[in-house]
Amino acid sequence: MIVMVPTGGFREHQLRVLPRAAAVAHRVGDPERAQRNRIERDRLVAEDAVRTAKDLGIRVLEIDGSRDAEAVADVVADHFDPYLA
């Protein structure tokens, strides 16, 4: 198993650059508050996933935008290669 989680900086980049990342999909009374809550929830989930994975000895791959999708796929493939040989 490998756990992939975005870094805070990468998540902020996504919110600035990707319209879908900053969109509030549901009708809510306070869209700005809904967005802040979603961002905080995502941060807490990522933090918990990293903590739990590390406690269990599971590899964590932080996604920070420095690798393109193909490079990330290569890291994941290398991780699983010993199990697929």
Side-chain angles (χ1 to χ4, degrees):
M1 179 174 186
I2 188 168
V3 173
M4 297 188 301
V5 338
T7 62
F10 185 66
R11 184 69 181 132
E12 289 172 15
H13 168 77
Q14 289 177 310
L15 290 166
R16 282 191 316 272
V17 174
L18 299 174
R20 71 179 186 276
V24 176
H26 303 286
R27 297 182 105 186
V28 295
D30 188 345
E32 289 179 15
R33 181 177 180 198
Q35 179 69 316
R36 285 192 310 271
N37 288 344
R38 183 177 74 169
I39 292 166
E40 179 63 8
R41 180 212 57 209
D42 289 351
R43 185 190 67 75
L44 291 171
V45 168
E47 185 179 276
D48 182 61
V50 169
R51 183 177 45 255
T52 302
K54 288 182 177 181
D55 287 349
L56 295 172
I58 296 168
R59 182 176 181 183
V60 174
L61 177 59
E62 290 187 330
I63 305 300
D64 62 6
S66 64
R67 297 180 181 110
D68 64 15
E70 187 174 324
V72 171
D74 288 343
V75 171
V76 173
D78 287 345
H79 174 79
F80 287 107
D81 187 59
Y83 306 102
L84 301 174

